[in-house]
Structure formats: structure tokens, C-alpha cells
Amino acid sequence: MDKAIGIDVGSTTVKLVVINEQKIIINKHIENTKPRIKEQVKKLIEKVKSDLKEENIPIISTGYGRKLVEDAKENLTEITCHAKGIYNALGFGGTLVDIGGQDSKVIVIDKKGRVLDFTMNDKCSAGTGRFLEHTAGKMEISVEEIGKIALNAKKELKISSTCTVFAESEIISLLAYGEEIDAILKGLHRSLVTRIVGMINSVAFTPPIMLSGGVAKNEAIKKMLEEETGYKIFLPKYPQLMGAYGAAIIAFEKYIKNSRGI
Amino acid sequence: MNVLKFIRYYLMTNLIGKPYLKRQRKIGERKIEKITGENSPLNPPLKITAYTKEFVSSHYFKGRYIEGVKPVAWVTSGAPIEILKALGFFLIYPENHAALCGARRVQMDLIKTAQKQGLSQNVCSYVRTDIGSLLSGKTPAGKLPKPDLLVACSNICQTVLHWYRMLQEYLNIPLVIIDTPFVYRDIEPHQVDYVKKQLKNVLLPIAERAAGKSLKEKDLKEVIKFSKDATELWLEILNLCAKRPSPLTVFDQFVFMAPIVEMRGDRETVDFYNTMYKEVKFRVNSGIGAIKKEKRRLLWDNLPIWFKMRELALKLAEKGINIPISTYTYAWGELAPLMDLNKDEFEVMARVYLSPILNRGAGHKLKTMADMVKRFNLDGVILHSDRSCKPYSMGQMDQRNKLIEEFSIPAMLLEADQNDENAYSEEQTVIRIESFFEMLGVSNG
């Protein structure tokens, strides 16, 4: 059976998916990005190929490290791949909010799955997964737990600084004043969501809103985004894999479908 | 005029400068042949390219020895220079000088010097570059002549008012500020009157005193004629870029625009653009584009990123993308029709210098861009959100949204800076540009 591989080399994690002819994910890998990306990716691809016992599977790479994937037939930006991935996963267009480790993006996708408009935060880490991860780390709470804690908080504190480093000092002073951790965490989430809403407002917004990226697993983010925008948020089954999934679909369409003249 | 200084000027520019720059041009011509080989996505540049460098360099070379020979004025790019030219002033444009520093990539050192002196990093990077150059005496031009007069016009931004006051403080010479009120819709008669009065009653007497002579109407008429002719030719050259494939890229235009800015009003500049026009026209007739495979065409809004010109030019050309026009390069041509030689010169100048794109509303720029997209057959717009140039960047968010929503034109904001490399991040810029290309259906092989 024909297959295709998409690999998303992000700043925090490397994601790889294998899809079959029905565009269904039959194999997936997520691992932390290591300093020697080239070797890491090479090994991962070899392993997947040997598990599948197939050599000639077309690969498309995306993500910050997309140009380091030597086995890829071509590389594409995350904007194109995420749009393709989410469109196929959910079956409709709209505005995709992708919150990754190092950057966030808002992509407007039309009814046919084409990118109409996009924006990215590229000046600072505010509004990214790293912002939450870093500040949560300061309070010795794992990134998996912070969403739940924030959701259950009764009180919410305002974190004025959107800079990760300065937010950290702000948190330390709040803790020193005896403020509760859950209230601080809720404020942190609000700060991130406000930044994202600012990005949504700066594109040619089309409802519904879809959410992807590692941070989509955080329930508080989803709930707060719904509160702030007034729209229901749609999530795919594997939010973290949308870039890799999109890359795999493009690889399939371009190198298998086209070559067979379908 | 100091006779000894004149002799030195004459000897240095004619006996040393001319042959030296000519030799540099020959070397430049050979270099160009080498860099645009078979593998380059760009076609060979215009023949006039190497001469452009010689032409502009000769201006700066003359500047090294001009003190005591001619009166010198430092002016803003939108200053009404025809009066000064007619009085025999030699002109230096600090903005162009800063751009030159950026293009040669020597600006960061100068910026550091200015910041050390207390200038905030939020101040325009042209200002920081030039103040750094003034304080350190370092310039790729060799030496800039000390001015006798400073002339700043508010038609490009408010920063120049503070910048030139600072220069005045350092240099202790007269400063004339021409205030051009903002044009929201159409130019009002009282606005023309107000600017005209400033030109006649303020700039003229002060400039005459600094030059030590009175203005002759015949000279002013002649300078305006040269300005008009060169501006018209520049406009016609840019209009030729509407052809497919475009004979020039915007990056070429950023280089070729130097004379229309800093040597406007000279006979030689008219000759320069005449020669250039013929060559560009020949290219159009022969179907030779600036890039080898022109698949998509974009519009550029705002100043260039001077220190990244070559990289961006190649990156775009490799993907078959050309930028045949920009609001910035066009700004130096679009006012040509206003230069009516049959009207009162001061009235004409008042109108012209009230009209630059930066002295008009954001809606005017939006309309200009939407018209350009049609006329130049463009597939999208890159709006350089230039951290340094606030008046140019203000309104871009709305302009971008309106281009997308009302005109169905793909548009992207690209955050960078004209001269400050610290306000530019390579990886993020590349991702934005590549994503935009993919959106337009151009992917990476």
C-alpha cells in the first residue's frame, strides 16, 4: 500500500507521521528536539522505514529545522503544512491558531483548504508555549498540570509583563507577597490568550476557530480563547501533529497521486 | 570662493577623482559579468549599473574638496532643493548617506557610536547612523563636507525636525525648517500659500545670505526644468516595469534612484536617466527581464532593508518572484506632472513639496497600492513594516487588511528595519517570506 511521511522539526519537539492512501495516520512519533538535529532525524526516519519494511516513501519536511532533513523530497513552511493538516483533519476552513513551543501563528484557511492570510509572532516569546513552560517551571509545576490548575482557580491575578523573562520576575514578586499559585497561573494563561487574540484580530479572520500545536492540549487555553473570542474552538484528534500530518498529505498528493496520474 | 581651495578641488576631482572612478567602473563591469553567470537566477544587470556607482561616487568625491569652493547645505530628502541649487549650493542628503552606510554594511558601528552618546534605539536608524558618522568622522564616502546651512522639510516625517535641531546644535549653523501641513484629501489653497510664504520669506533670504548671492529667476527656472525632466524620465522608466517580464527589480530601482534623490536639478542627472531610459526600453523591446524566470510579481511598500538587498534579491529571483515596483521608488517620479514650468516657481514648489506620499493620508497610499497592483499586473503585496520609519509604517495594518478584504490581493507585513540589523531576525523573515510564496503557489524544490 502507498504511504507518505511528514516530518515537523520544531524547536521543542520533532514530530513524524506516516499516512496511508486514505490519509489516515498509521504511525506517529514525537520526541524532544536534540542539538544534533540532522543525525536525530536521520535515525528516526531509518527506524520508521525499517519498521514499515519500505524504502521508497516520499517525505516532506517542515518546521524550523525543515532544511536539515536530508531525506526529504522538499521542505515547506509550517504555515502551508498546518493549513493542509487541519483542513484534512477537520474537513473545513476557518482560522487556525497554532501555539507551538517557539512561535504562534494564526492562519486563515478558505473553504478549499488554501491559505488566505497568516500572521506569526516573531519578535518575542510572549504568546508561545515556551512562555508557559518557562514560567510554570519557575513554580515547579509540570506543563501538563498547569492548565488544570488554572481552570480550577477561583481568583485570577493580572500578569502585566508579556516578556517571558520579566513575567518570571513578576511571578517571583507575587509569590513573595503570598499570592496563590493557581491565581498566578490563571493570570499567565490570560496573558498568553490576550496575545493570541491580538494576532487573530490582525488577520482577515474567518470563523470557526481551530486550535493546534502542543499547547492545544492545555484545556485552560481552549476555554479562555472561547471566552475571549466568543467562538467555539475546534480541536483535531492530534493537535500536535498537524504540521507533520499536512506535510505527509502534501507528499502523498505530490509524489504518489500525481506520479500515478490520479 | 577661496582660490587655493578651488585649485585643489579642480585638481583632485579632475586629475585624480575622474580617472580613479573610471578605473573602478571598469573593475565593476568585470565583476558584474562574473557574478551573473549561467547559474544566477538574475539576468545580467543593465550596462549603466557600473556607471551609476561612478556617477554617485563622483558626487561624494567632489564633496570631499568642496568646502570653500561652493556653499554646502545638508538637506532632507523632501526639501525644496531647487532654490538651493539655483544659488549654487552643493547638497548632501544625510538620509542617502545613511542608506549608503547600510548598503555597505558599515552602519552598525555608527549606530553604536550614536547610542553610546545617548540616542535611544527607538530613534530612526538613519538618524543614529548619521549622528554616529558625524561624531566618529567615519563614512564610506571618505569625508562629508561641513555644511553652511541646514534645511529640513516636515513632508517626510517629524523626526527630521529633531534630527536637524541636533545637527544645528553640533554644527552651530543656520537651520531652516519648512513646515508642510498634512494633506488629508486635496491640497487646500491656504496650505500652498503657507508653504510658499516660507519658501519666499524664510528659506530664500537665509539661503541667499549663506550663499553670498541673490537668486536669479532664470537659474531657478533652469533647475526646475532639470528636476522635472529627470523626474519624468524616472517615472517613465518605472512605468516600463509594468511590462512582463519587468526589465528591473525593485532592488535595482533602490540603487538607480540615488541620482534622482541626491542629484535632482542637475543637467547630468537628466542625461543619466536619458541613457538609462534607452537601455531599459531596449530591454523591454527585446523581452529581457531582470530575472530569468518571472513567475510572480509583487509590490513592495516602504523603504528597503538596505543591509539585506542582495540576499533578498537572490532569494526572490530563485523562486521566480520579481518585485517590479514599490511605493517608495515611485514616490520620486509620481510628482513630475505637478512641476508646471509655466506657473510661478514658488507656487509650483509649494505644491510639489506638499504632495509626497508621506505627507498624505493612509487612504491615499492604499489607493496608490491598489492602482499599482492593477497597472503593474501584481500578484501580491509585501508591506515592510519598518521599525524606523513610523510615518511610512503607520496605517499598514489597515492597508494590508483592506488589500485582502476589499481588493482580494494577498498581502503580508514583514517586520524589519531600514538600517538597524538588531531589529531584523533572519530566520523569522525567511519563514514569513517563504510562507507567503507558498500561499501564492510558489514552493521550495
Side-chain angles (χ1 to χ4, degrees):
Chain A
M1 201 195 277
D2 289 317
K3 297 178 190 73
I5 293 178
I7 180 159
D8 178 357
V9 186
S11 60
T12 318
T13 50
V14 174
K15 283 84 61 178
L16 183 148
V17 306
V18 185
I19 57 161
N20 65 11
E21 269 186 332
Q22 280 86 42
K23 294 179 185 171
I24 290 168
I25 298 176
I26 53 165
N27 206 331
K28 59 182 195 310
H29 294 267
I30 301 179
E31 53 186 58
N32 287 334
T33 309
K34 292 174 189 159
R36 292 177 194 279
I37 296 176
K38 235 182 202 174
E39 288 80 9
Q40 181 189 3
V41 167
K42 211 172 175 57
K43 258 191 201 163
L44 182 62
I45 292 173
E46 272 168 19
K47 188 186 173 300
V48 170
K49 280 183 175 176
S50 84
D51 285 353
L52 295 168
K53 295 187 181 94
E54 271 185 63
E55 262 310 300
N56 293 324
I57 311 178
I59 302 173
I60 282 185
S61 60
T62 184
Y64 269 89
R66 65 192 181 281
K67 289 172 186 164
L68 299 170
V69 185
E70 284 171 341
D71 296 325
K73 282 202 177 280
E74 67 177 288
N75 65 76
L76 292 167
T77 63
E78 300 99 291
I79 301 289
T80 305
C81 293
H82 274 87
K84 191 79 181 177
I86 198 88
Y87 181 76
N88 278 277
L90 294 178
F92 48 78
T95 302
L96 170 66
V97 175
D98 177 83
I99 313 176
Q102 189 153 298
D103 72 3
S104 323
K105 23 194 175 291
V106 175
I107 311 168
V108 184
I109 304 160
D110 75 3
K111 285 177 186 161
K112 290 182 179 166
R114 289 172 305 201
V115 176
L116 280 185
D117 191 14
F118 66 89
T119 187
M120 300 164 87
N121 76 317
D122 57 12
K123 283 287 169 281
C124 77
S125 60
T128 68
R130 197 59 62 89
F131 175 72
L132 281 183
E133 195 183 315
H134 196 79
T135 36
K138 206 69 214 166
M139 290 180 275
E140 297 176 340
I141 300 169
S142 79
V143 87
E144 286 77 25
E145 287 174 274
I146 50 171
K148 277 188 201 103
I149 299 175
L151 263 186
N152 295 324
K154 290 197 177 68
K155 191 177 161 191
E156 181 177 328
L157 287 168
K158 192 174 163 53
I159 309 290
S160 8
S161 181
T162 47
C163 162
T164 306
V165 177
F166 292 147
E168 190 182 312
S169 356
E170 208 175 327
I171 289 161
I172 292 170
S173 356
L174 287 172
L175 288 172
Y177 279 111
E179 294 289 359
E180 293 298 327
I181 285 182
D182 59 349
I184 299 175
L185 274 179
K186 196 167 181 186
L188 267 179
H189 281 73
R190 183 76 60 195
S191 162
L192 188 142
V193 167
T194 314
R195 295 283 293 197
I196 299 292
V197 171
M199 285 168 69
I200 294 175
N201 288 337
S202 74
V203 294
F205 172 72
T206 318
I209 300 178
M210 304 168 279
L211 189 61
S212 71
V215 179
K217 289 188 288 188
N218 183 317
E219 292 160 42
I221 296 289
K222 178 177 177 269
K223 188 161 180 286
M224 284 186 180
L225 255 181
E226 285 179 339
E227 276 170 21
E228 297 281 335
T229 59
Y231 286 97
K232 183 174 157 37
I233 311 282
F234 293 87
L235 250 87
K237 192 174 171 193
Y238 304 112
Q240 209 176 351
L241 298 179
M242 286 305 102
Y245 181 48
I249 293 171
I250 299 171
F252 189 89
E253 287 175 350
K254 217 163 167 180
Y255 298 101
I256 296 179
K257 223 167 143 183
N258 280 354
S259 68
R260 294 194 318 208
I262 297 175
Chain B
M1 189 199 302
N2 181 318
V3 178
L4 279 178
K5 282 190 172 166
F6 176 76
I7 294 170
R8 189 177 71 139
Y9 168 76
Y10 184 81
L11 291 177
M12 290 307 287
T13 51
N14 285 300
L15 299 184
I16 306 219
K18 260 189 194 164
Y20 170 76
L21 291 172
K22 204 171 166 185
R23 209 178 133 249
Q24 290 298 105
R25 167 165 50 107
K26 298 272 178 211
I27 296 171
E29 281 166 351
R30 281 200 293 274
K31 244 192 202 166
I32 283 170
E33 279 168 25
K34 272 186 201 163
I35 54 167
T36 47
E38 258 178 52
N39 297 328
S40 173
L42 296 157
N43 269 325
L46 298 183
K47 282 186 200 139
I48 204 168
T49 305
Y51 176 64
T52 312
K53 202 173 167 195
E54 180 186 351
F55 188 44
V56 176
S57 301
S58 76
H59 175 74
Y60 281 109
F61 196 86
K62 280 178 195 163
R64 292 194 203 187
Y65 306 99
I66 204 79
E67 282 173 41
V69 179
K70 276 182 167 194
V72 177
W74 284 12
V75 297
T76 59
S77 59
I81 50 92
E82 284 75 12
I83 298 172
L84 301 171
K85 280 263 174 189
L87 283 166
F89 274 92
F90 181 87
L91 302 179
I92 287 288
Y93 292 74
E95 289 156 65
N96 275 42
H97 173 254
L100 174 76
C101 295
R104 298 269 179 95
R105 302 198 72 165
V106 297
Q107 83 285 22
M108 290 315 289
D109 239 15
L110 306 173
I111 283 177
K112 265 185 222 156
T113 307
Q115 287 181 189
K116 217 170 152 186
Q117 193 64 23
L119 259 79
S120 155
Q121 61 173 358
N122 293 320
V123 171
C124 162
S125 53
Y126 271 0
V127 182
R128 283 179 284 150
T129 303
D130 268 311
I131 296 290
S133 170
L134 182 74
L135 294 174
S136 63
K138 287 182 194 162
T139 161
K143 174 185 171 272
L144 292 183
K146 285 255 161 63
D148 304 289
L149 178 68
L150 297 164
V151 181
C153 186
S154 67
N155 57 4
I156 51 163
C157 66
Q158 297 295 307
T159 298
V160 295
L161 307 182
H162 307 286
W163 180 2
Y164 276 65
R165 280 183 190 129
M166 231 178 128
L167 288 176
Q168 185 192 24
E169 190 88 17
Y170 281 122
L171 299 162
N172 198 21
I173 50 165
L175 159 67
V176 177
I177 289 174
I178 307 292
D179 177 35
T180 46
F182 198 72
V183 178
Y184 290 92
R185 288 186 186 280
D186 297 319
I187 295 175
E188 302 290 340
H190 67 85
Q191 293 179 316
V192 178
D193 230 39
Y194 173 61
V195 176
K196 195 173 144 185
K197 273 184 191 151
Q198 294 176 69
L199 299 181
K200 231 174 183 166
N201 305 340
V202 184
L203 176 63
L204 181 61
I206 296 175
E208 281 180 331
R209 207 176 310 139
K213 66 188 226 186
S214 303
L215 180 75
K216 287 185 189 135
E217 203 191 327
K218 181 178 77 63
D219 294 344
L220 182 60
K221 271 194 185 308
E222 189 182 57
V223 174
I224 294 179
K225 167 99 174 68
F226 289 149
S227 266
K228 182 183 170 67
D229 289 351
T231 309
E232 261 173 3
L233 281 163
W234 177 242
L235 184 65
E236 282 179 45
I237 290 168
L238 294 182
N239 283 337
L240 285 174
C241 296
K243 305 280 179 198
R244 254 176 206 273
S246 167
L248 298 173
T249 71
V250 78
F251 304 101
D252 301 324
Q253 294 167 17
F254 290 145
V255 175
F256 290 123
M257 70 184 277
I260 195 62
V261 184
E262 59 194 3
M263 285 180 266
R264 199 167 67 247
D266 289 345
R267 184 192 298 273
E268 295 79 8
T269 307
V270 181
D271 297 341
F272 171 83
Y273 285 114
N274 236 323
T275 315
M276 184 178 169
Y277 177 80
K278 282 180 198 146
E279 197 186 346
V280 175
K281 182 86 187 151
F282 171 78
R283 286 217 170 187
V284 168
N285 292 343
S286 323
I288 306 170
I291 68 171
K292 284 180 185 159
K293 286 176 193 161
E294 189 184 279
K295 295 184 205 156
R296 296 282 192 283
R297 294 155 65 91
L298 304 177
L299 170 67
W300 179 275
D301 181 49
N302 216 328
L303 275 74
I305 305 166
W306 289 110
F307 53 91
K308 278 284 159 192
M309 295 250 288
R310 175 113 197 112
E311 289 90 337
L312 279 174
L314 280 173
K315 184 151 201 64
L316 267 73
E318 275 163 10
K319 306 269 188 265
I321 290 174
N322 192 7
I323 302 184
I325 195 67
S326 73
T327 53
Y328 181 61
T329 47
Y330 208 73
W332 302 100
E334 65 189 341
L335 303 182
L338 287 177
M339 295 181 183
D340 190 336
L341 299 172
N342 299 317
K343 279 192 181 151
D344 170 71
E345 297 84 12
F346 285 89
E347 167 110 11
V348 166
M349 275 189 291
R351 278 191 182 277
V352 167
Y353 289 103
L354 269 164
S355 303
I357 196 162
L358 291 182
N359 205 44
R360 312 193 67 146
H364 173 78
K365 181 149 76 95
L366 174 69
K367 193 179 170 301
T368 306
M369 288 195 279
D371 287 348
M372 275 180 173
V373 169
K374 264 195 210 152
R375 212 151 55 80
F376 286 80
N377 288 305
L378 307 175
D379 303 292
V381 182
I382 295 181
L383 300 109
H384 169 206
S385 173
D386 182 350
R387 188 175 158 80
S388 274
C389 196
K390 267 82 175 179
Y392 217 136
S393 309
M394 195 179 66
Q396 274 181 325
M397 192 85 94
D398 288 330
Q399 286 159 355
R400 190 201 79 104
N401 291 348
K402 285 198 188 293
L403 284 170
I404 296 171
E405 287 160 14
E406 287 179 21
F407 299 94
S408 303
I409 301 160
M412 176 190 69
L413 275 182
L414 187 69
E415 285 163 11
D417 193 275
Q418 62 207 39
N419 249 21
D420 188 351
E421 295 188 32
N422 287 339
Y424 174 85
S425 51
E426 182 83 22
E427 185 59 27
Q428 275 80 4
T429 306
V430 168
I431 287 213
R432 269 188 196 225
I433 291 182
E434 287 188 356
S435 302
F436 192 59
F437 291 172
E438 287 167 14
M439 198 175 113
L440 296 170
V442 184
S443 66
N444 301 306

